[in-house]
Amino acid sequence: MPLNIWSDDMKVGVVQLRIEENIEKNIQKVNDLTLNYKDTVFLLPELFTTGFNYELIQTLDESHIKLLNSLNENNTFMGSIVRKKEDGFYNSFFIKYKSGIYFIYDKVNLFPLMDEDKYFNPGEGYYTFEMSNAKAGCAICFDLRFCEIFVQLRKSGAKIVFLPAEWPKKRVEHFKVLCRARAIENQYYFVACNSVGNTWGEKFGGNSMIIDPWGNILKSADDKEDTVMVDEIDFSLVDEVRNTIPMRC
């Protein structure tokens, strides 16, 4: 599925949010925060419209994903959202590019500590996707703990991986270490967007990051609520790192 938004140098950003108990308000916050940007690929947190509000989620139907059409068309948006299929709910990675909405991946590793496995169906398989002249990969939150996923994405040609998350504050140090580890061991860019703040009695840790293939943190949002950060991505650095330190993955 080629989407012509890539170039050798690309602007990538994250929109770190406190997820509100109002779907439309979360959409509006994203639009307000990205209003002054153009031609940027933005990653949003996991389940950015609803969070893990299961009472709300169980009221949603197939039309919920149409709300993504409300995101502005000046930029490209990625993240995860509740998707209802005939057999139940999925935590699905999406790309909103201009007027199109594309689903790439349904989360495989559901998080039992937040009862995700009781309310969502698991997906099958991990995939890269092509966007002009580069391959990208994606995973969602708890997937971060499963290193073999990210090796598989590298073997499939990924030069950048996107990870939307709702990672609790009490384990945010794990999140920070694992994000850098995935970038270093696979020698690609790693973009992680976490939610932040107190939502439904759970505190989320923020610390969204853009990490280069050396493991350098190019941008970090720390624990700031409702914030945007953007950086330039140079895909030639991926080849440089891999040629400097050859690794067999």
Side-chain angles (χ1 to χ4, degrees):
M1 183 194 66
L3 304 176
N4 297 316
I5 62 173
W6 296 92
S7 61
D8 289 333
D9 298 305
M10 184 185 70
K11 291 185 291 184
V12 168
V14 300
V15 184
Q16 181 168 286
L17 294 175
R18 179 185 180 277
I19 298 173
E20 308 285 347
E21 297 186 48
N22 181 296
I23 292 172
E24 289 76 14
K25 186 173 181 179
N26 291 320
I27 294 277
Q28 189 59 51
K29 285 207 295 185
V30 172
N31 280 332
D32 289 346
L33 289 164
T34 60
L35 180 65
N36 296 322
Y37 294 89
K38 187 177 180 181
D39 300 326
T40 301
V41 178
F42 282 110
L43 182 64
L44 310 178
E46 178 183 24
L47 301 180
F48 84 103
T49 57
T50 61
F52 287 101
N53 183 337
Y54 294 119
E55 184 176 344
L56 173 61
I57 287 169
Q58 289 182 300
T59 69
L60 301 177
D61 58 24
E62 293 86 347
S63 67
H64 174 60
I65 64 173
K66 294 180 180 178
L67 289 169
L68 295 175
N69 287 316
S70 302
L71 294 171
N72 72 71
E73 294 187 12
N74 291 330
N75 301 290
T76 297
F77 294 93
M78 301 179 180
S80 89
I81 194 170
V82 175
R83 182 163 59 140
K84 187 175 183 181
K85 301 183 188 180
E86 290 183 0
D87 60 341
F89 293 104
Y90 290 80
N91 185 342
S92 299
F93 187 95
F94 72 88
I95 299 174
K96 164 66 166 58
Y97 173 58
K98 295 185 177 179
S99 60
I101 299 169
Y102 308 88
F103 287 97
I104 306 298
Y105 163 68
D106 295 324
K107 187 176 181 182
V108 172
N109 297 292
L110 303 177
F111 188 48
L113 273 68
M114 294 186 75
D115 292 334
E116 191 177 11
D117 54 328
K118 296 178 182 177
Y119 292 91
F120 288 93
N121 292 335
E124 297 179 0
Y126 307 97
Y127 308 99
T128 56
F129 49 98
E130 292 192 23
M131 302 172 97
S132 271
N133 62 350
K135 277 192 176 182
C138 61
I140 301 174
C141 201
F142 189 44
D143 287 334
L144 182 61
R145 292 188 180 273
F146 299 83
C147 60
E148 65 275 9
I149 297 170
F150 302 93
V151 174
Q152 181 177 324
L153 293 175
R154 172 177 169 157
K155 286 181 176 179
S156 298
K159 290 190 173 183
I160 187 169
V161 168
F162 296 91
L163 182 102
E166 275 195 87
W167 199 281
K169 185 173 182 178
K170 56 194 169 188
R171 290 183 293 275
V172 75
E173 290 303 318
H174 292 189
F175 177 78
K176 292 159 64 177
V177 170
L178 290 170
C179 285
R180 292 190 72 192
R182 300 296 168 252
I184 293 167
E185 66 197 2
N186 296 292
Q187 299 172 308
Y188 46 43
Y189 283 96
F190 199 91
V191 184
C193 185
N194 194 20
S195 63
V196 69
N198 194 335
T199 307
W200 305 292
E202 182 71 60
K203 290 185 178 179
F204 294 97
N207 281 273
S208 301
M209 289 180 282
I210 301 172
I211 305 167
D212 77 9
W214 286 117
N216 298 314
I217 299 174
L218 303 178
K219 298 283 184 179
S220 173
D222 299 323
D223 59 355
K224 298 174 186 173
E225 292 192 12
D226 298 348
T227 188
V228 173
M229 57 188 188
V230 174
D231 209 337
E232 294 278 345
I233 298 298
D234 177 5
F235 286 111
S236 67
L237 182 60
V238 176
D239 297 325
E240 177 186 323
V241 172
R242 291 177 179 179
N243 289 331
T244 301
I245 306 178
M247 293 173 58
R248 290 180 297 171
C249 291

